[in-house]
Amino acid sequence: MSAAGAEQPCRREVFEYALLRVVPRVERGESMNAGVLVYCRARSLVIARTHLDEERLRALDPGADLAGVRAALHAAEGVCDGGSAAGQAAGQEPGSRFRWLVAPRSTVVQPGPVHTGLTCDPEAEAERLLELLVR
């Protein structure tokens, strides 16, 4: 096949990901997945994809602060996007922003453990993980 018609092989890169979990009542230990964080060092990219199933959250805690949870998920997206939406993290490299987001915390929105994989397309991987693990 000629070079013009040849499909370029995918260059798989290492990526890391963690789930964002909503823990509406920490004392009960129940949680639900509401987002995924993906970091690819080789591409200097950190991505957040979120989806809040409000009905499921209300089943865990009828009095859950939906607006507060939405705000926390939106803030995680802002940190990943960088710029003014990242607040104090705006000047940090993507890896530093990812590490800050996955640091353990005792809040309603908490990161899960970090996992690794290989991907040709970190953006598509974030969408795939959101569909597989969150929705």
Side-chain angles (χ1 to χ4, degrees):
M1 187 178 281
S2 71
E7 197 172 304
Q8 291 292 327
C10 141
R11 181 172 176 191
R12 293 172 20 144
E13 305 284 359
V14 173
F15 74 97
E16 298 174 69
Y17 74 94
L19 292 170
L20 290 175
R21 297 177 176 158
V22 178
V23 185
R25 294 177 60 192
V26 177
E27 70 278 8
R28 291 183 60 131
E30 298 169 331
S31 67
M32 61 176 267
N33 297 339
V36 64
L37 304 167
V38 173
Y39 170 58
C40 182
R41 181 179 178 194
R43 306 238 179 128
S44 192
L45 183 66
V46 63
I47 304 163
R49 295 288 183 268
T50 63
H51 171 77
L52 181 59
D53 184 334
E54 293 181 5
E55 186 175 316
R56 188 169 174 209
L57 179 55
R58 282 194 184 113
L60 287 176
D61 181 5
D65 178 6
L66 296 176
V69 171
R70 272 192 241 101
L73 293 171
H74 183 70
E77 292 171 342
V79 169
C80 287
D81 293 341
S84 62
Q88 291 181 321
Q92 296 179 1
E93 295 297 319
S96 295
R97 294 194 314 268
F98 179 75
R99 298 283 171 243
W100 183 82
L101 286 166
V102 299
R105 53 184 47 95
S106 296
T107 61
V108 173
V109 176
Q110 301 177 7
V114 176
H115 305 280
T116 60
L118 295 171
T119 187
C120 294
D121 185 347
E123 295 269 354
E125 194 65 39
E127 294 296 333
R128 185 186 77 79
L129 290 169
L130 183 72
E131 287 298 321
L132 180 68
L133 302 172
V134 177
R135 291 193 177 177

